[in-house]
Amino acid sequence: MECTLDQVPLGEEAVVLQVENESLLGSRLREMGITEGVRICRKRQAPLGDPSIYMVRGCALAIRNADAAHILVRPAHISVAGGFENRRSDR
Amino acid sequence: MVNRTIGLLGNPNSGKSTLFNRLTGAHQVTGNWPGVTVERKEGRVQGKPWMLTDLPGIYSLAAYSPEEKVAASFLEDTPPDLVLNIVDATALERNLYLTLQLLEHNLPTVVAVNLCDQLDRQGGKVDCDALSRRLGVPVVPISARSGKNMGQLLSAMEKAAQKAGINRPDRLQEAGEEAEKNRYETIRMLLDGVYDSGAAAGRVTERLDRILIDKYLAIPIFLLVMLLMFAAIFGPPGMAMKAAAERGVEIISRGMETLLDRAGASWWAREMAVDGIWAGVGSVLTFLPQIALLFLFLTLLEDSGYMARGAFVMDRLLQKTGLSGKAFIPLLMGFGCTTPAVMATRTLERERERRLAIRMLPFFSCGAKLPVYILFTSAFFPKNRGLLVFGLYILGMTLGVLWIRLTGGTEKTRDAPFLMELPPYRLPTLMGTMRRLWDKCKGFVAKAGTVIVSLSALIWLTQHLTFSLDWTRQASISMFGTVGEWLAPLFQPLGFGNWQAAVSLLAGLVAKEAVVSSLAALYAYGNTAGLSTALQQAFTPASALSFLVFVLLYMPCVAAFAAIRRELGSWRAGLWAMAGQTAVAYAAAFLVYRIALLFWPV
């Protein structure tokens, strides 16, 4: 059931499994709160298809599809196993 | 006098500027950080002997962009006595990341939790006392906008500064992936039971976004906003304001004449003051209302949060040029003034993107060129004025993109990562807007008072003196006229081979407003109505169009050039950019002139 963040359907929530450690981008993403176990929701897509807005830790972040492809996630609605979760549901 | 330094630090959009204005009131000094061109704002805290320094908004102490580096190196090189860390209550998790880093560095810190009223409204709450106990530093809930709890904040700062050096938690963490993860783990534990964010993301923002960045509506709305902005500036509102300013300049001009006559001033003193200096300064000042209007729109777009949406919507388009949506903001600022816009590119993380944006910026017509457009379009194309000016802006942008693609496409690198926060929509405050507007207009007026005054005096003198230093009434045999005659043949192929046009373009290198002020001085008319008539005799519609295109595209003023040279890092790169720019201008003006001749033969 794993996929990358850019494949998450609009309006769906996912749990981050892994952020690829791609030099600058990786740590930037983690600093903005995209760490393992956090819930992230794909809210909206730009009119021209790229980037998309994701809600994470109460903030709206715009991330390009190419960059989102470096983030491994699983759907949130399947078993909530281990790790910590954002206490908040974004939908 | 000042016995304590305080650094104000926080995430972008956390209300940092509002708090800064609230604490310092009118006692502010703006300058630059040593060595770099990032704006540095300082101010005395009202009623206290403390100096507050406003640092660029950052998410983390790990510095990526030049702006973030400024904040990080300020803390390292000149550690303040106290750090005032402002955090956004509605996004506390993300905001506390920076707070943890500050504490890890053992910096004496006071945390101000801003936007508590907003959190209240969305049904959340935060227990600041409990959070303070867990963090080991004072935590004060405030509202920077309404000024709530400012007294409490000040006394917390006073106390914290007094016992700075003791009782601080020591939680130094190693850098890298683990540290980043651990900090969020720590935040989760810190906030457990003391924080409830309520309904995530304001419902207002949610609703507005549903319309403003809708799949189908976003682009039409964006274009409409841009069009509205132009319509207000160049349409009846802007023009009415300009007419009023012109009347004011005219009245002062008459007053000066009478006054100098009565004082018994000599002819040259009176003419230099009225027809030289005041004509130059006045013709520039009449454009102040429209330029203020432009800055007002840009300020409102930024403060309301719409600018970030624009960046989001435009990102895909900008990707093709090697830029990202983030570059959209400096580029939009370029419509105001190129110099600060060049400095604003410091928010871009990737060096390559930054250089592309800097080189593209001068193609985005700056506000100071507006007077030229208004003057010429009013004189030659009064019916299609707005449309024509809009067209010029589009032409500049299009050529800028083409030029960058042609010359910048040699190095193929991965696209810049695009990670941008979309802040909640906020109603800009009257005070905040007015203050920023004033800051920007002040620069424009100061320029009219310094550069334009001296330039107008210089132009008037060189216009009335020959190279053998004799007074003359015939401008064409003056120094000015002679230099113009040398230059004029260069512009013959573009249709405006008269010496007045040539020297006004030369004056425009000092400041673009000077194109109009020197044309005004050369035709020796104080008011622009008379100037229009004179221009109609000197130019044809075709050569006027060509002149407009040349002014739109040729190299920017020296201030912008200095900024571009500094930011590109070398004289060679700077001069190369200027030469390319002017070559494009020449070629485009030539083409436009030849095409226009088909419609308006001489």
Side-chain angles (χ1 to χ4, degrees):
Chain A
M1 284 310 286
E2 289 170 10
C3 66
T4 52
L5 187 58
D6 58 314
Q7 292 164 336
V8 174
L10 279 183
E12 288 296 314
E13 202 173 21
V15 175
V16 174
L17 295 174
Q18 196 197 338
V19 181
E20 253 178 64
N21 203 1
E22 235 233 11
S23 61
L24 198 138
L25 180 69
S27 57
R28 185 99 247 202
L29 287 171
R30 277 190 296 273
E31 281 175 2
M32 300 296 278
I34 303 180
T35 54
E36 281 157 41
V38 77
R39 277 179 186 239
I40 187 163
C41 176
R42 187 178 199 176
K43 275 287 202 192
R44 220 173 284 281
Q45 201 171 16
L48 301 171
D50 194 22
S52 290
I53 297 180
Y54 298 89
M55 284 301 292
V56 62
R57 297 187 197 270
C59 302
L61 288 181
I63 307 176
R64 279 185 185 169
N65 295 340
D67 297 328
H70 293 283
I71 302 169
L72 201 63
V73 296
R74 68 165 170 78
H77 52 263
I78 300 183
S79 77
V80 189
F84 55 89
E85 273 169 24
N86 201 0
R87 290 175 322 292
R88 163 194 323 147
S89 158
D90 289 321
R91 295 291 302 170
Chain B
M1 254 204 6
V2 172
N3 62 13
R4 218 157 269 163
T5 57
I6 299 167
L8 178 58
L9 213 59
N11 283 189
N13 307 309
S14 55
K16 214 162 48 67
S17 313
T18 316
L19 180 61
F20 181 80
N21 290 338
R22 172 76 56 191
L23 287 177
T24 59
H27 315 282
Q28 298 183 7
V29 200
T30 35
N32 281 333
W33 292 93
V36 291
T37 44
V38 176
E39 192 179 74
R40 176 191 181 124
K41 260 191 357 192
E42 281 184 328
R44 270 277 298 281
V45 176
Q46 281 173 322
K48 303 274 180 193
W50 306 339
M51 187 56 86
L52 187 66
T53 304
D54 190 16
L55 293 153
I58 53 172
Y59 294 109
S60 147
L61 285 182
Y64 299 98
S65 69
E67 231 180 41
E68 292 169 322
K69 282 181 188 139
V70 161
S73 64
F74 171 81
L75 293 178
E76 245 166 58
D77 304 340
T78 51
D81 297 320
L82 183 74
V83 173
L84 177 55
N85 175 212
I86 180 169
V87 294
D88 175 353
T90 62
L92 205 49
E93 274 183 87
R94 219 269 322 287
N95 276 253
L96 281 180
Y97 186 89
L98 180 66
T99 312
L100 283 192
Q101 282 187 318
L102 291 171
L103 296 180
E104 284 162 22
H105 280 76
N106 267 331
L107 289 157
T109 304
V110 169
V111 178
V113 183
N114 192 25
L115 297 163
C116 281
D117 39 0
Q118 175 76 35
L119 182 70
D120 239 25
R121 245 173 283 139
Q122 62 189 52
K125 60 173 189 299
V126 55
D127 182 348
C128 285
D129 293 330
L131 189 59
S132 167
R133 279 194 298 278
R134 291 184 187 184
L135 281 170
V137 295
V139 178
V140 186
I142 61 159
S143 168
R145 183 180 281 230
S146 69
K148 203 177 129 201
N149 273 358
M150 283 301 133
Q152 206 186 325
L153 179 65
L154 285 174
S155 61
M157 284 161 69
E158 179 115 60
K159 257 184 250 160
Q162 269 163 9
K163 61 177 181 182
I166 46 165
N167 199 18
R168 271 182 281 119
D170 190 23
R171 236 182 273 127
L172 256 166
Q173 284 228 13
E174 73 288 8
E177 199 180 335
E178 280 307 303
E180 288 147 10
K181 246 184 288 175
N182 288 344
R183 279 189 202 113
Y184 274 107
E185 181 63 21
T186 310
I187 291 170
R188 195 183 62 86
M189 293 188 297
L190 280 169
L191 291 181
D192 190 42
V194 304
Y195 177 61
D196 175 11
S197 67
R203 246 168 288 139
V204 181
T205 294
E206 178 68 37
R207 257 184 232 153
L208 277 173
D209 268 350
R210 208 170 287 163
I211 300 163
L212 293 180
I213 49 179
D214 175 79
K215 198 168 179 216
Y216 302 103
L217 293 177
I219 292 176
I221 289 177
F222 177 77
L223 291 177
L224 196 70
V225 168
M226 294 295 121
L227 205 68
L228 263 175
M229 185 168 117
F230 279 85
I233 297 169
F234 306 109
M239 295 315 275
M241 285 162 82
K242 181 169 183 293
E246 274 167 7
R247 269 197 303 278
V249 167
E250 178 68 24
I251 290 167
I252 295 177
S253 182
R254 294 240 185 79
M256 274 172 77
E257 248 172 5
T258 330
L259 218 72
L260 286 169
D261 265 344
R262 233 177 258 164
S266 57
W267 73 268
W268 64 266
R270 198 189 58 219
E271 270 190 29
M272 184 166 150
V274 179
D275 299 334
I277 297 173
W278 181 247
V281 173
S283 62
V284 170
L285 284 182
T286 53
F287 296 100
L288 182 63
Q290 277 161 309
I291 285 170
L293 217 52
L294 177 73
F295 281 134
L296 176 69
F297 275 104
L298 290 180
T299 306
L300 286 179
L301 286 180
E302 201 180 337
D303 291 354
S304 64
Y306 185 73
M307 198 94 105
R309 268 76 185 176
F312 171 70
V313 172
M314 301 311 284
D315 179 62
R316 193 68 237 273
L317 276 180
L318 285 166
Q319 266 184 50
K320 296 195 172 135
T321 62
L323 298 170
S324 75
K326 267 189 191 171
F328 166 80
I329 293 165
L331 288 177
L332 199 60
M333 278 176 68
F335 288 134
C337 177
T338 310
T339 313
V342 166
M343 293 171 192
T345 61
R346 285 179 162 264
T347 52
L348 304 175
E349 284 149 30
R350 290 264 168 122
E351 188 59 21
R352 184 183 122 85
E353 182 184 2
R354 214 166 78 80
R355 298 180 78 89
L356 284 180
I358 291 169
R359 291 178 47 218
M360 200 182 303
L361 262 173
F363 286 95
F364 283 60
S365 180
C366 79
K369 291 176 187 169
L370 252 180
V372 187
Y373 305 157
I374 297 171
L375 179 65
F376 275 79
T377 51
S378 307
F380 291 93
F381 316 98
K383 277 191 192 134
N384 302 315
R385 198 170 50 204
L387 203 66
L388 197 64
V389 176
F390 193 67
L392 280 171
Y393 276 79
I394 301 285
L395 179 72
M397 288 191 285
T398 315
L399 285 176
V401 170
L402 286 176
W403 176 243
I404 294 303
R405 291 213 78 180
L406 266 174
T407 59
T410 42
E411 34 178 332
K412 184 86 190 135
T413 47
R414 234 193 107 233
D415 281 340
F418 179 70
L419 195 63
M420 191 184 64
E421 189 188 356
L422 285 99
Y425 290 101
R426 275 172 201 150
L427 212 59
T429 59
L430 187 67
M431 265 302 287
T433 307
M434 285 305 138
R435 169 157 275 157
R436 292 183 57 176
L437 192 60
W438 168 240
D439 275 347
K440 283 171 178 158
C441 289
K442 212 167 54 182
F444 181 83
V445 174
K447 205 154 82 173
T450 52
V451 180
I452 302 291
V453 164
S454 32
L455 204 69
S456 300
L458 186 77
I459 289 173
W460 190 88
L461 277 175
T462 50
Q463 217 186 311
H464 287 80
L465 285 172
T466 64
F467 273 110
S468 43
L469 294 180
D470 294 320
W471 286 110
T472 176
R473 285 265 191 188
Q474 262 181 292
S476 56
I477 60 162
S478 66
M479 292 183 201
F480 207 57
T482 317
V483 173
E485 297 284 0
W486 294 338
L487 288 173
L490 270 177
F491 298 108
Q492 197 60 55
L494 308 187
F496 46 90
N498 50 22
W499 65 269
Q500 292 96 331
V503 283
S504 73
L505 288 173
L506 199 63
L509 293 184
V510 179
K512 295 289 160 177
E513 299 95 323
V515 174
V516 169
S517 65
S518 56
L519 283 174
L522 284 175
Y523 293 105
Y525 289 106
N527 60 65
T528 41
L531 185 53
S532 298
T533 327
L535 286 176
Q536 278 158 2
Q537 283 151 15
F539 287 81
T540 65
S543 68
L545 260 186
S546 156
F547 188 79
L548 282 175
V549 170
F550 192 80
V551 169
L552 165 72
L553 297 169
Y554 85 120
M555 73 168 279
C557 68
V558 281
F561 168 68
I564 290 170
R565 190 206 72 77
R566 198 170 40 215
E567 298 300 313
L568 286 179
S570 74
W571 278 98
R572 199 171 150 264
L575 288 172
W576 196 235
M578 296 304 109
Q581 176 105 33
T582 310
V584 171
Y586 198 91
F590 181 78
L591 268 178
V592 164
Y593 181 57
R594 293 297 141 180
I595 294 168
L597 275 184
L598 302 177
F599 296 93
W600 297 281
V602 179

